[in-house]
Structures are given as structure tokens and as C-alpha cells.
Amino acid sequence: VSRADHSPAPAGESAVAVLGLGLIGGSLLRKLTDVGLPAVGYARDPRTRTAAREVGLEVSDDIDGALAGRQIAVVAVPLPAVPTLFDATVGWGGLVTDVTSVKGPVAALARARGLRYVGGHPMAGTEQSGFAASDTALFVGANWVLTLDDDTGLDDWLALARIVLRTGARVVATTSAEHDRAVAANSHLPHVVAAALSTAAGENPLALSLAAGSFRDATRVAATRAELTAAMCGGNADALRERIDDLIARLAAARDVLDDDALTAFFEEGRRVRAAWPPTAGGERSIPIADPDLRSALLAAGRVGAPIIRADADRLTLADAA
Amino acid sequence: VSRADHSPAPAGESAVAVLGLGLIGGSLLRKLTDVGLPAVGYARDPRTRTAAREVGLEVSDDIDGALAGRQIAVVAVPLPAVPTLFDATVGWGGLVTDVTSVKGPVAALARARGLRYVGGHPMAGTEQSGFAASDTALFVGANWVLTLDDDTGLDDWLALARIVLRTGARVVATTSAEHDRAVAANSHLPHVVAAALSTAAGENPLALSLAAGSFRDATRVAATRAELTAAMCGGNADALRERIDDLIARLAAARDVLDDDALTAFFEEGRRVRAAWPPTAGGERSIPIADPDLRSALLAAGRVGAPIIRADADRLTLADAA
């Protein structure tokens, strides 16, 4: 018996189908069920469906059964599996979102199928994966990007934001292009660098043997499965290419001042940024949902990294950085 | 009353002066005192001398008093203070070592003063510094590089190796040039990259706001004081310049295969190296000290990252990697 069977949908809240029950999808279905939102899951592997039912979740044996009568579908599978799941939602008519780490290419997949789509990217994860690692606390305090492109319906965006806020996450509004540039800088580029640093040190056994904390941390993500990293970085090739070129220019500039007082300034600039990270929460402010410029106000907030932390009936509350 | 006063020097072991009682020097003096080696400390700051005496260490109020009657001086101060301390040992006649992270430039300082010198670099440290952070366990299991250059006396090197092994560290033999290339790859380059990644992300508030684990780890050392990092990297400029150029070439190659199957191979190579790090201990083997090729045998072992883990009267025992 699933808990969801006994939780009536709160007025105005959408019923959610979570397609894919790995770490992200499993954690989402558990959390939505916990907070009393009507939610059903689907996983391709029957063992995962059994495991999910065993912890009291409502699970469908097929995708159509999961979608029927629901308003929102969360496609919670890795990028290579997204097209197949998107295909399965064609003609259903509800709102589709995803949880992958690139947004422009996925928006193009949705557009090509004529889906009602809002791109999503929860900035949460662990080294683990699979339903067994799922955790209702995974999203608490995490940023969850929802893309707001020119062709995104604002009502769809708001409906999804209300669902995401129920997980404990904070919602960041941004365009697909701005998202992809940001994750190229803060995630995909560090993955490329980690691999290059690791391979370079690998040619020098003494370097590997003497390596300590700075090497350990700089290369940690190089231990990720190569297929996953390649899919993630290759999926964001255009934005990542620009970030690699930018980094090469910065490294070349550092190389030219190694004998110089300017080297301290180079390190001081990095120190200043890193010491101020992560940004601490500053004041809160709210935006009326009736604001005729709501779309641009949301995007402006996202651009300075201010997430939405609460949605009331008539207004959204944002947290500015300090 | 210091413990050292009551510990007779074991036959054949040298008495040690530790000049500088910060994290490294303080930990070393405490450990040598604990294991019953005759050791005395000196620190410029009288409060540090008082703190060291309060935990039972023997401390001299001046450098000459610390050196008098001792055979080995460990100059345990940051690179900018090394020349002054080296000057103070001129004419004393004992064996001088240091604990800084570059070896070629420090060897040149020692050579210019005609010192009997063996370069040292313990691969141990924490984010903390100062005598208050000192810890007798700091060196246990850590690699401690001792440089063996063409002009290094083999007997001096062996005498120092015996002292270092008493701290629980493992001794790695290498030339100054090989050491500096290795730390350029495994430490100085990661510091340069961390600063560049941090500064680049700093230009994009959305990127900072969405940054998670890969950014956190890739940039952790960027939070280090800029003067320290600049001194460390600038002190190893020649070796570091080559490593930066090498990394730039690797990044450019990755950029050119972002749309390509070769991207998986790029990440797989990094994964393979990182997954095998840190190297696990394999078998042990020993080298007779009477071996006429002892010098080249030690350097060959260092080159493959095999540290010395034990010194008996007639032989050294090495641990090979698995």
C-alpha cells in the first residue's frame, strides 16, 4: 500500500509522474510522497519498481500508466535516455521537465517533439547512484535550476517551481544558454581539468607518489566513469569550448608572470573569489506574481544567483546573496 | 626540565638542532624528543620558545646555542627566511637540511654559502600552521624527500635519512631537479589551475551560485594566502612553466575532441590514473648499504616512487608500489 494512495492532492497542486527512479528520481518520488503530493513513479527495471514499492511508493509498471491523469512528468534519466522518454510523452499533453546537466540541447529535443517543456537541473548528487542511494533530504537547500526561455510558458514554469520548492530545494530561473555557460564554467571545465592534471601526473611516477592534498582534490572528479563525464561535457560542447579557451588564456598569462610580482595578484584574485564562496544568504525580497515584468525579474534574479525560496499564492520570495 | 636532558644519544645517532618551530619544525622537535633523540629547538619568537619549553622540549634562546655541539641542523622556516638561517650556519660545519617545497633554488643557496647540505621536503602539512598546530603524528606514513644530487655526500644523506625515519616518515631519494618537476606537476600546477578556475567563475555570479562539489574541490587550494602560493610557485618557476605549457596542450587537445568519441578516451586516461592513486604498497626489498651503486639504486627507487621504510646498520628496506 503506497502512502500516496492515502494523500489527497492539495487544491491547485499537480499530480506528478517521476519517470526513472535512480538517485534523483527516487529521491524526488520519496520526498513528494512524504510531503503529501500525489506522485507516481516508473522505472524500467522491475527490481527498482519492487524496491520502490517496498518503501511505500506508488509505482506504475508502464509509462502510460504513470502519465495517465497526471499533469507533470519529471524525466529523471541520464541524457542518452532522454529522447526515448520524451518520445513516450508525445501526445500526452502534460508538462515535461528533466534533470540533466545541459539544458540547450535538451530543450531542442523537447522542441522537436512539440512538448510543453521546462528544463530542470537539480544541483544535488553524490558519488553514489541508483534507487538504493535515494534520500528524501537530497534536495534540501540545494539549487534547482528551471529554465525560462522565450518559448517557455510562464504558468508552466510557476507550476513546476511550486513542486520543486516542496522538495526543500531553492529554484533558480535562467535561460538554457545562461545555464549551459554557467555549468561549463563551474562543473564541466573542472572535469576536463581534473582529467588533464591526472593524465599529466600519471606520466611521472615520482609525482604520483609525492602527491598530496592539492592533487587529491584537484583530480577527485577524474575518477568518475569516463562515459558519464564524456556525455556530460560533450553534451555542452559549445559552451565548454569557450570556457576551455578562456582558461588556456588565463594559464598562459600566469605562466608569463611566474618570475614576477604580478604572480601574487594572480593568486590573490582567485583567493578573493574562492574565500567568498559559497555565497552567504543576504536579505529576502518578494516579487508579486502579477508583476507584468515577472519573466525578466526572475531572469535578473537568476543572473545574480538569487534563488526563489518560497512561493505564496500571490508572490515569490527570493534570497539575495550577502 | 626538558625530556631531552635525560635521553642519552643512542650510539651513532646525531644530535639535531631544529631552527624554526612552526607546524613542521615544532612537530619534528616533539617527535625526535619523544623517540629519545637528542634534539634542541630555536624559534625567533620568544612566545614560541616559551610554548615549546612548556611541553618539555629543549629550546635555545639563540641560534648559536642551538647549533653548538650538534651535528645536524633542520632549517624549518618558509622559503623567504631560508637565506638568513643558512647564513647563520656558515662556519658551523655540521649538516644542514631544510623543509621547503622547492629544492633546486634552495640547493643553490646552500651551494653559494659552501654548506654541507641535503635538501628535504616532508610531504606533510595541514591547513593550520604554527607551533600550536604541531603534532608528533604529523609525519607518520608521510613521504619525506631527501635530495641526492651529484654534490651531495652519500654519508650525509644516509645520516639524515636515519633521523627522518625516526619520525615515522618514509624517505624518498631524488635529485633536486626531479623533485621540482614532480611537485610542479602534483602541487604547483594544481594551485595555478585552482586560482584560474576560481577567477574565471568569479566573473559569472550564476556559475558561482550553482557551483557544487566539482568546483569546491577543484578550487579548494585557491583559498590559500596568495603570498604563500606565489612564493611557492614563483620559487619553482622553471619547472612550473613547462608543466603549464604541457597542461595547455592537453586542454587544447580536449577542446578539439569535445564533439567526438575521442572525448571518452581523454576522460578514461585520467580516470585510469586517478583510480590507481594513491599507489598501494607492494612488496619490500632491501639494498645493502655497501652496494657500490647505492647512489643510483636509491635514485632509481625514487624515480618509481618507492620510498625507504627502514634503515638497519647494513641495509635499507624499500617499499615498492603494487
Side-chain angles (χ1 to χ4, degrees):
Chain A
V1 177
S2 85
R3 270 175 277 180
D5 288 339
H6 306 293
S7 306
E13 281 190 319
S14 304
V16 178
V18 181
L19 308 181
L21 298 176
L23 173 67
I24 299 287
S27 298
L28 178 62
L29 182 60
R30 295 175 90 139
K31 180 70 179 186
L32 295 182
T33 303
D34 265 13
V35 300
L37 262 167
V40 60
Y42 164 79
R44 195 176 50 179
D45 187 335
R47 289 168 301 184
T48 304
R49 299 199 294 265
T50 300
R53 287 185 178 116
E54 277 171 358
V55 295
L57 302 173
E58 183 181 350
V59 178
S60 168
D61 279 328
D62 54 73
I63 297 178
D64 286 348
L67 294 175
R70 275 86 191 188
Q71 288 78 47
I72 293 178
V74 180
V75 172
V77 297
L79 189 56
V82 165
T84 305
L85 273 287
F86 274 13
D87 286 344
T89 71
V90 171
W92 163 60
L95 172 61
V96 177
T97 188
D98 72 312
V99 299
T100 66
S101 62
V102 290
K103 298 276 61 74
V106 177
L109 293 173
R111 216 169 274 131
R113 288 162 178 78
L115 304 183
R116 269 174 62 208
Y117 171 76
V118 174
H121 182 196
M123 313 301 289
T126 69
E127 318 268 294
Q128 300 166 296
S129 60
F131 183 78
S134 66
D135 178 356
T136 56
L138 184 66
F139 307 114
V140 175
N143 287 308
W144 191 316
V145 170
L146 294 180
T147 57
L148 188 52
D149 289 326
D150 290 344
D151 60 351
T152 309
L154 192 53
D155 288 344
D156 281 346
W157 194 93
L158 289 166
L160 190 56
R162 288 180 189 278
I163 301 283
V164 167
L165 287 168
R166 298 292 295 272
T167 68
R170 312 166 338 151
V171 174
V172 177
T174 181
T175 65
S176 296
E178 285 175 307
H179 167 276
D180 289 353
R181 275 197 293 274
V183 295
N186 71 19
S187 168
H188 303 168
L189 183 61
H191 278 81
V192 170
V193 167
L197 284 172
S198 179
T199 303
E203 295 178 0
N204 185 337
L206 178 64
L208 283 181
S209 146
L210 299 182
S214 62
F215 178 79
R216 178 194 63 220
D217 290 350
T219 60
R220 183 184 58 85
V221 295
T224 312
R225 268 181 53 209
E227 299 76 19
L228 297 181
T229 314
M232 180 176 78
C233 293
N236 197 20
D238 292 342
L240 180 53
R241 201 173 284 115
E242 284 177 24
R243 290 305 99 208
I244 293 176
D245 284 335
D246 174 80
L247 184 71
I248 286 175
R250 291 174 194 276
L251 294 174
R255 176 196 54 195
D256 291 343
V257 298
L258 288 180
D259 291 313
D260 214 292
D261 284 348
L263 187 59
T264 304
F266 167 80
F267 283 116
E268 176 55 22
E269 179 62 12
R271 191 207 61 75
R272 194 187 55 73
V273 172
R274 186 53 171 76
W277 186 90
T280 51
E284 297 183 2
R285 62 189 159 104
S286 69
I287 312 180
I289 289 175
D291 185 335
D293 290 327
L294 180 59
R295 186 182 287 265
S296 50
L298 290 171
L299 289 174
R303 214 163 280 134
V304 297
I308 298 164
I309 57 172
R310 200 164 58 244
D312 296 307
D314 63 336
R315 59 185 50 247
L316 302 173
T317 302
L318 299 168
D320 277 307
Chain B
V1 178
S2 85
R3 269 176 277 179
D5 288 339
H6 307 291
S7 306
E13 281 189 317
S14 304
V16 178
V18 180
L19 307 181
L21 297 176
L23 174 66
I24 299 288
S27 298
L28 178 62
L29 181 59
R30 295 176 91 139
K31 180 69 180 186
L32 295 182
T33 303
D34 265 13
V35 301
L37 261 165
V40 61
Y42 164 79
R44 194 176 52 178
D45 186 334
R47 290 168 301 184
T48 304
R49 300 199 293 266
T50 300
R53 285 183 180 118
E54 277 171 358
V55 296
L57 302 173
E58 183 179 354
V59 178
S60 168
D61 280 328
D62 54 74
I63 297 178
D64 286 348
L67 294 175
R70 276 84 192 189
Q71 289 78 48
I72 292 178
V74 180
V75 172
V77 297
L79 188 55
V82 165
T84 304
L85 272 288
F86 275 12
D87 286 344
T89 70
V90 170
W92 162 60
L95 171 62
V96 177
T97 188
D98 72 312
V99 299
T100 66
S101 62
V102 290
K103 298 275 65 73
V106 177
L109 294 172
R111 216 169 273 131
R113 288 161 178 79
L115 304 183
R116 267 175 63 208
Y117 171 76
V118 175
H121 182 196
M123 313 302 289
T126 70
E127 319 267 295
Q128 299 166 294
S129 60
F131 183 78
S134 66
D135 178 355
T136 56
L138 184 67
F139 307 114
V140 174
N143 287 309
W144 191 316
V145 170
L146 294 180
T147 56
L148 189 52
D149 289 326
D150 290 344
D151 60 351
T152 308
L154 192 52
D155 288 344
D156 281 346
W157 192 94
L158 289 166
L160 189 56
R162 288 180 189 278
I163 300 284
V164 166
L165 287 167
R166 296 294 294 271
T167 69
R170 310 160 348 144
V171 174
V172 177
T174 182
T175 65
S176 295
E178 285 174 307
H179 167 276
D180 288 353
R181 273 198 294 274
V183 295
N186 71 21
S187 169
H188 303 168
L189 183 61
H191 278 80
V192 169
V193 168
L197 285 173
S198 179
T199 303
E203 295 179 359
N204 184 338
L206 179 64
L208 284 181
S209 147
L210 299 182
S214 62
F215 178 79
R216 177 194 64 222
D217 290 351
T219 60
R220 183 183 59 84
V221 295
T224 313
R225 269 180 51 209
E227 299 76 20
L228 296 180
T229 314
M232 179 176 79
C233 292
N236 197 19
D238 291 343
L240 180 53
R241 200 173 286 115
E242 284 179 24
R243 291 305 100 207
I244 293 177
D245 285 336
D246 175 80
L247 184 70
I248 287 175
R250 291 175 195 276
L251 293 174
R255 177 195 55 193
D256 291 344
V257 298
L258 288 181
D259 291 313
D260 213 294
D261 284 349
L263 187 60
T264 304
F266 168 80
F267 284 116
E268 176 55 22
E269 180 62 12
R271 192 207 59 76
R272 194 187 56 72
V273 172
R274 186 54 171 76
W277 185 89
T280 51
E284 298 183 2
R285 63 190 158 102
S286 68
I287 312 179
I289 289 174
D291 185 334
D293 291 326
L294 180 59
R295 185 182 288 264
S296 50
L298 290 171
L299 288 174
R303 211 163 283 133
V304 297
I308 297 164
I309 57 171
R310 201 167 55 245
D312 296 307
D314 62 335
R315 58 186 50 247
L316 303 173
T317 301
L318 298 169
D320 277 307

